[in-house]
Amino acid sequence: NNKAPDHPPLKRTATGARMTAGCADLPTVSLAPFIGDCGGCVAGNDPTPGQRLAAGSIDRAFREHGFLYLTDLGVDEEDVRGVFDMMKRLFALSDGEKARLSEYDPKTNIGFSKFATEALNTHRRPDLKESFNIRSRRHYANDYTGTPDGFGDVAESLWDKLEEASRRLFIACALAMGEDIRFFERTFERFDFTTLRMLHFPPVEDSPPGGLPAGDGDALRIGEHTDFGMVTLLFHDDESAGAGLQVRRAGEGAGNDASGASSGNEEGSWVDAAGRGGATAIVNTGALLARWTNDEWRATAHRVVVPPGPAAGEDRYSLAYFLDPDRDAVVETHPRFSDAAARYKPITSGAFVQMKIEEMMKVRQNAAN
């Protein structure tokens, strides 16, 4: 079913925003040194030179940018494209057909979120997107009622490969921190709080010539925010290539704190971070990672604006794998980073992430009243 959605293209006007250099500013890190000949994860007591090089690159990127491109995850391009193909069929369903989908439940963080019913930046109007979330089938009953045939199988196949790939990233991040290689892996024994979110951003008509609708209070495709968990793996469809994603450098102050919040259209430059398609992921740091490191690895603010030119009138799709530690995992400042006073009290992943989800959902409650 590839027919267009029932809702017409959006009409937007807004003021511009300043933007600087593009995605060339963000570093690229390969996880190939952590993949063995049989595809498994490789980590010995003594890291290899290649592993140390990758870990050093991650440390610099998380201090200076909070974003990087990640290659050689161990996920095939065909796996990613297969999910995007299914997503396009899902989001092309009519409104009536979408009414049969399992409605998003903030308590489980799974299901279908209707268009413009969430706001990651509560200072703005609802985000111009719709989405479908799944979590680990070991712990949640993902409901695929009303989705295209085969949708669940394809999505969960990618989930399994991303879970394995993330274990390589945990080892690399632990080495980057100078810690035992299982430091992060121990907080992801169950993967019971990690989420795969499939997002669709419908076309926007009448956007301003500059294509950057970022005035205070205006709706964006996704408002300024920092992610809640450890890190996020983000993939984009080949056609839109993630046009409109912008990040602020991790050291630029407001909007980068580990509360997981961003105050809005703060002063400072925004850097284009378009995707590369295929199986290359954009990785960004989250608020819980900042808590672990007492803000030495910062939680990086980002947003999705409507891009200039013809891209504004095209559908945009993205896949976000939110690596949030297990529900009961306690996140507290690591002793290595406690020379200065710890900025954050210990908190469980479940308590922190659920608090942020409920804040995001206040817009839906307000709309219903």
Side-chain angles (χ1 to χ4, degrees), residues 58-71:
I58 289 172
D59 180 40
R60 288 190 297 275
F62 284 179
R63 291 174 185 274
E64 298 172 5
H65 300 270
F67 267 71
L68 57 83
Y69 291 105
L70 193 65
T71 63

Side-chain angles (χ1 to χ4, degrees), residues 76-95:
D76 295 332
E77 291 188 6
E78 291 76 12
D79 298 318
V80 177
R81 290 194 179 109
V83 175
F84 276 121
D85 288 343
M86 281 291 183
M87 288 169 55
K88 291 171 185 178
R89 292 174 58 192
L90 174 75
F91 292 119
L93 295 174
S94 68
D95 289 345

Side-chain angles (χ1 to χ4, degrees), residues 77-352:
E77 291 188 6
E78 291 76 12
D79 298 318
V80 177
R81 290 194 179 109
V83 175
F84 276 121
D85 288 343
M86 281 291 183
M87 288 169 55
K88 291 171 185 178
R89 292 174 58 192
L90 174 75
F91 292 119
L93 295 174
S94 68
D95 289 345
E97 290 168 321
K98 287 177 182 176
R100 297 182 56 232
L101 299 174
S102 175
E103 185 177 359
Y104 175 76
D105 182 352
K107 293 181 180 179
T108 61
N109 200 29
I110 60 176
F112 172 66
S113 290
K114 297 178 182 177
F115 178 77
T117 55
E118 300 172 352
L120 279 168
N121 183 340
T122 56
H123 297 277
R124 293 192 181 277
R125 291 180 297 184
D127 297 335
L128 306 177
K129 63 175 172 56
E130 55 185 345
S131 61
F132 192 94
N133 286 14
I134 67 170
R135 277 182 160 175
S136 171
R137 62 185 178 279
R138 299 191 299 272
H139 309 291
Y140 297 87
N142 296 311
D143 187 348
Y144 298 110
T145 301
T147 62
D149 291 343
F151 180 91
D153 291 339
V154 171
E156 291 190 356
S157 175
L158 179 63
W159 171 285
D160 293 341
K161 294 184 179 183
L162 289 173
E163 181 175 322
E164 178 64 24
S166 67
R167 297 183 190 279
R168 302 180 182 104
L169 181 60
F170 296 156
I171 292 172
C173 288
L175 288 176
M177 187 187 277
E179 195 33 86
D180 163 27
I181 60 173
R182 293 201 65 241
F183 178 80
F184 290 112
E185 185 180 351
R186 282 191 287 266
T187 66
F188 285 88
E189 292 181 348
R190 292 166 51 84
F191 278 80
D192 64 358
F193 232 50
T194 293
T195 304
L196 179 62
R197 166 161 273 205
M198 293 158 267
L199 296 126
H200 172 229
F201 307 84
V204 176
E205 286 187 346
D206 299 337
S207 69
L212 299 173
D216 289 333
D218 283 320
L220 300 184
R221 279 180 159 171
I222 297 182
E224 300 88 350
H225 68 286
T226 54
D227 288 349
F228 309 148
M230 177 191 169
V231 295
T232 301
L233 303 181
L234 183 65
F235 302 88
H236 294 100
D237 65 296
D238 293 333
E239 291 77 18
S240 73
L245 175 63
Q246 296 181 337
V247 306
R248 295 191 71 205
R249 293 188 185 279
E252 289 199 4
N256 296 305
D257 62 282
S259 67
S262 181
S263 59
N265 190 28
E266 308 96 340
E267 292 297 323
S269 58
W270 289 90
V271 177
D272 269 337
R276 294 181 179 173
T280 297
I282 294 177
V283 178
N284 67 273
T285 50
L288 289 180
L289 188 62
R291 284 175 172 259
W292 258 314
T293 62
N294 210 27
D295 275 346
E296 288 196 27
W297 287 357
R298 304 293 297 276
T300 309
H302 51 287
R303 65 186 183 182
V304 180
V305 300
V306 178
E314 298 175 356
D315 292 283
R316 181 187 189 274
Y317 302 89
S318 63
L319 273 168
Y321 192 57
F322 295 104
L323 285 162
D324 301 338
D326 292 346
R327 180 187 297 270
D328 296 331
V330 176
V331 176
E332 57 185 327
T333 300
H334 189 276
R336 175 188 165 191
F337 303 97
S338 59
D339 290 343
R343 299 183 181 186
Y344 309 106
K345 295 179 180 179
I347 191 171
T348 64
S349 172
F352 182 79

